[in-house]
Amino acid sequence: MMPSKKGSLKEMYLSWPDQCRWGLANWGFGFKEEPVSPRCIVFTGMGGSGVVGDYIASIAARRLKMPIIVVKDYKLPAWVSKEDLVIAVSYSGNTLETLLCFKEAIARGCRVAAISSGGKLKELAEKHRVPWAGVQAGYVPRAALPSMLYAALSTLEALGVPVVRKEEAEEAVDVVEEALKRCSEKDLDLEIAWKLRNKVPVIVTTSSYAALAIRAKNEFNENSKLPCKVEVLPEWGHNDVVGWEKHLGEWTALIIDPREEGESELLGAAERVYSSAGIPMVKLELFGENMLAKLLYGSLVIGLASICLGVKRSVDPMETKYIAEFKKTVEEILGKKSA
Ligand code: PA5
């Protein structure tokens, strides 16, 4: 793999406070759009870019009187129409599934915006004269999460549908700094990596933070080259719980505790089951005053832990050759649609 101008993968994660500050300095990207009042906001994006929609939908679920859905596919649901706002996110700007959804949204007359570091998505956004938020190039997609997230949040505000105020996004920067401090001074990331060595991780949290558990799974997949499973309470207690009665394999549970009323107690139920099934556990308590801060805090600690684990497992955390191969396969299968 070509060396990146942003350094090693670890250096890219260490740049998160700078990425947030860049997002704040470019807040709104100077867009001067007519405000929208959509029926629904649809985010479309895959992998590291798809997480942006997941996080914003999680935050919005607590405060917006409008649904946000996330499409990780090459087609939009049939009901998406000109009443909806579609935001396409692709760090490279070249992911076919996202490009196909973008084109479909344009064809259906939706309000559309796009976020990328360049690529075909930028060209398409310019061609169709829709707002395009350009993020800094040179990262790998998953390591550019703060840049993409702040770009998406500020685009939403510029379009008249704010989900997170700029002040909250400013406060979150201190929490991102705090995550780095706790990793370097208290080895939070090393502790998680150490507990997960030679095990299959099962990431467990509550439904409000399911998006963070999915991000964590993706990080262990891509940076540590490990399969991983996600379980979310309370649903966990209606199916997965039974599987631990006679489980197979070498698991370790990573419990993500958002430290919110009722949620830690719910997680306690899972901890008791894992303990009696002999499953080792490691807990990550989320830090921060608001959900954006907690999501970024958890993402950064887990990102660094997944890199440590990759290094312990003697794999290259940055390269993702299977993803590159799959992208070629998708081009062969769906490429004709994008012509
Ligand atoms: O983090 C990664 O490298 C991947 O999960 C990518 O985000 C995914 O393959 C989609 O690519 P892009 O983010 O460029 O649209």
Side-chain angles (χ1 to χ4, degrees), residues 46-49 89-95 98 140-142 148 222 320 323 327:
M46 307 301 293
S49 299
V89 188
S90 166
Y91 183 74
S92 63
N94 291 323
T95 296
T98 313
V140 294
R142 57 197 178 279
M148 292 192 282
E222 293 179 47
T320 47
I323 294 181
K327 285 186 175 179

Side-chain angles (χ1 to χ4, degrees), residues 94-152:
N94 291 323
T95 296
L96 187 53
E97 295 93 321
T98 313
L99 294 174
L100 290 171
C101 285
F102 176 97
K103 287 180 180 177
E104 207 172 329
I106 295 281
R108 292 191 201 175
C110 307
R111 283 294 297 265
V112 179
I115 295 162
S116 77
S117 63
K120 291 183 191 146
L121 193 54
K122 177 184 181 207
E123 288 167 21
L124 282 171
E126 285 172 350
K127 179 176 163 196
H128 294 283
R129 296 174 192 278
V130 302
W132 171 73
V135 295
Q136 290 168 298
Y139 294 105
V140 294
R142 57 197 178 279
L145 177 63
S147 306
M148 292 192 282
L149 190 54
Y150 276 43

Side-chain angles (χ1 to χ4, degrees), residues 9 61 270:
L9 189 61

